[in-house]
Amino acid sequence: KEFSQYDKTSLKYSFEDYSRRLIVETVGIRNKATKIDFDNSIFFDSTKTNYLMSYARYYDLKGSYVSKGINAYERLSVNLPEGFKISGNYQFFREEQFRNKDVRNNIIGKLENQLYLSLNTFVNYSVQNINNTGYDEVTNTIGGGFRYNKLIPTGVLRLNYTVSTFNTNRTSKAMSKLYRKEEHVLDDSGLELLDNPYVNTASVIVYDSTLTIVYIEGVDYMLIPRGEYLEIQRLPGGMIAQGNTVLIDYESTKNLPYSYTSLNHNFGGNIVLFDNFFEAYFSGVEMNFSNIVNPEAKVLKEISQSVYGVKLNYDNLSGGAEIDNMRSNIIPYRSSRVFVNYFDNLSNQINL
C-alpha cells in the first residue's frame, strides 16, 4: 500500500504445513509455520535515496520442532554534501525455543564518501548485546576500508581492502549453550565447519533458509568430526542443492566466560580485459587475536588465507585455474584446482 509517493507499506500473513516421512521411518517430520511480516519505507525525497526503512516479523513454528520469535529491523540512510553518506541500522531479535531464550540488540553506524566514480571509502562502528539463557555477551566493532574501480584500456581494475577490530566479552551463566540459526553455505568445493567447538552431534538440527524444511542427516547432509570442531557436508541426491544456505541449531558442551580482541584484514582485487574474456583475481584474509582471557587458544580460529586465480570466458563456456593457501590453527590446507563451466540456454550449469 502506498499512501503517497514518499512511502510504501505492506503487511503479509502466511501459513505453511510441511510434512516429510521416509519409507524406512515410522515417524516423520511435520511442522506448521505461521508468519506475519510488516514492511514500511518512508522516503525523504523524490529520488528515494534518502529513506527510513522498517521491517518486523513474527513467527510461530509448531510440530516436530517448536520455535517462536520476533525480528525487527530499522535502517536510516541520508546523503550529505561533498559525496558523503551516513547510514545506520538497528536490529532487535527475540526467540524462544525449547528451554532456551535469546534476545539480541544490534546497532550499526557507517559514514562513507564517494570520490568521483572510482573510489569509495568508509568507516563504521557497531555494538551487539546478547542476553541468552546460557550467557550474556557484548561485542564492540570498529573498522574502515575502501573500494576502487577504474576503467583501463580494454578492461577494468578493481581493488578492495577492509580492516576491523572487535572486542568481545562474555559472561557465562551455564556450562552448555544452544546456538540458533547459525548460517552456513554448503559448497562442495570448500570446507564448512560449525562456528563453535565441542558440539553435541545429537543436538544438530539443519533447516532451510525459511525455517520451514528440516533436513535429515544421512539423507540430505553428513557430519564429520574435525578435532574439536564439526564439519557439515551436503549429500548428492538430497534436498540441499549445491551452494544453498542452511540454518543450523546445535548445543555446545562448553560455555566458559571469556574476552578477547580480534584484528581482521580482508583484501582482494581483479583485472578484467577484452570484454570479460580474461580475468585474473586475488583475495586474502588475515585474522588474529590478542588480550585473550580464559578460552583455550585453539578455540579461536586464527587465519591467514590467500587465493589466486585466472579465468577465461567465451560465450557459454568458462574455465580457469585457482590456488587456495589456508594457514590456520584449526585446519590448514593448500589446494589447487582447474575448472571448466558450461552454461546452456536453459540456464543449466555443468561443472567439470
Side-chain angles (χ1 to χ4, degrees):
K1 175 67 178 178
E2 295 184 5
F3 297 97
S4 72
Q5 62 174 325
Y6 296 104
D7 75 282
K8 185 177 182 181
T9 304
S10 67
L11 180 64
K12 183 173 69 174
Y13 169 85
S14 66
F15 176 80
E16 298 179 56
D17 191 342
Y18 168 80
S19 61
R20 181 186 181 191
R21 183 171 71 87
L22 299 178
I23 297 177
V24 296
E25 293 181 321
T26 56
V27 179
I29 293 173
R30 183 172 185 180
N31 285 326
K32 295 182 178 180
T34 300
K35 300 176 184 177
I36 301 174
D37 293 277
F38 172 77
D39 196 348
N40 173 257
S41 297
I42 299 174
F43 306 104
F44 304 132
D45 59 6
S46 58
T47 64
K48 298 184 178 182
T49 55
N50 299 285
Y51 59 86
L52 174 64
M53 183 182 73
S54 305
Y55 170 79
R57 161 175 282 189
Y58 168 82
Y59 60 92
D60 190 358
L61 182 65
K62 297 179 179 179
S64 302
Y65 302 96
V66 179
S67 177
K68 180 170 65 175
I70 298 173
N71 188 7
Y73 176 83
E74 294 274 353
R75 175 172 174 81
L76 175 68
S77 179
V78 178
N79 292 323
L80 302 174
E82 304 298 330
F84 284 93
K85 177 181 178 181
I86 188 170
S87 60
N89 302 340
Y90 169 71
Q91 185 172 19
F92 172 80
F93 172 85
R94 177 188 175 95
E95 181 185 63
E96 297 181 20
Q97 189 173 38
F98 303 112
R99 304 181 307 274
N100 187 71
K101 182 170 72 173
D102 194 53
V103 180
R104 304 185 178 214
N105 289 273
N106 191 19
I107 300 174
I108 302 174
K110 183 178 181 180
L111 176 65
E112 58 184 306
N113 176 258
Q114 185 70 44
L115 183 62
Y116 303 111
L117 296 176
S118 57
L119 182 62
N120 177 273
T121 57
F122 59 90
V123 292
N124 58 271
Y125 174 78
S126 69
V127 57
Q128 178 176 256
N129 192 314
I130 303 175
N131 300 112
N132 189 279
T133 300
Y135 69 99
D136 293 332
E137 182 175 294
V138 178
T139 299
N140 292 275
T141 304
I142 186 169
F146 72 86
R147 293 183 296 271
Y148 179 77
N149 297 309
K150 183 66 175 179
L151 293 176
I152 60 176
T154 73
V156 60
L157 170 68
R158 302 184 182 96
L159 299 171
N160 65 83
Y161 172 75
T162 302
V163 59
S164 61
T165 179
F166 61 88
N167 178 264
T168 299
N169 191 303
R170 171 179 290 188
T171 303
S172 179
K173 300 177 182 177
M175 289 302 294
S176 64
K177 183 200 169 187
L178 283 163
Y179 293 90
R180 301 298 184 192
K181 296 185 182 64
E182 188 174 281
E183 188 174 300
H184 291 270
V185 178
L186 301 191
D187 189 330
D188 296 342
S189 65
L191 181 71
E192 195 65 25
L193 300 176
L194 300 190
D195 290 348
N196 298 277
Y198 313 113
V199 173
N200 177 5
T201 55
S203 70
V204 174
I205 305 173
V206 182
Y207 305 87
D208 74 326
S209 59
T210 67
L211 294 175
T212 304
I213 300 174
V214 179
Y215 297 118
I216 299 174
E217 183 181 1
V219 176
D220 301 313
Y221 68 91
M222 63 185 298
L223 300 172
I224 304 172
R226 300 288 188 184
E228 290 82 11
Y229 283 80
L230 197 63
E231 179 188 358
I232 180 170
Q233 289 185 5
R234 77 176 193 97
L235 290 176
M239 294 183 65
I240 304 175
Q242 156 72 3
N244 270 16
T245 298
V246 298
L247 303 177
I248 305 177
D249 293 348
Y250 61 89
E251 183 179 54
S252 174
T253 57
K254 281 193 174 184
N255 188 27
L256 299 175
Y258 59 76
S259 65
Y260 60 84
T261 300
S262 176
L263 179 63
N264 303 331
H265 300 269
N266 293 268
F267 53 89
N270 70 336
I271 183 170
V272 180
L273 301 174
F274 311 120
D275 195 24
N276 203 38
F277 174 73
F278 173 82
E279 178 183 0
Y281 59 90
F282 72 95
S283 64
V285 178
E286 298 283 344
M287 179 186 296
N288 53 69
F289 299 87
S290 61
N291 303 321
I292 301 172
V293 177
N294 241 356
E296 298 172 296
K298 61 185 175 183
V299 172
L300 300 175
K301 187 177 181 180
E302 295 189 344
I303 294 174
S304 178
Q305 183 181 24
S306 55
V307 179
Y308 305 89
V310 294
K311 186 178 179 182
L312 299 177
N313 302 288
Y314 180 75
D315 199 14
N316 296 336
L317 188 66
S318 68
E322 182 180 275
I323 297 175
D324 183 354
N325 187 17
M326 166 72 86
R327 296 179 294 277
S328 170
N329 61 327
I330 304 297
I331 301 180
Y333 66 85
R334 179 181 175 86
S335 67
S336 302
R337 71 184 184 109
V338 177
F339 58 90
V340 176
N341 299 324
Y342 175 76
F343 299 85
D344 64 21
N345 292 328
L346 297 178
S347 298
N348 294 320
Q349 178 180 357
I350 301 175
N351 296 318
L352 303 176

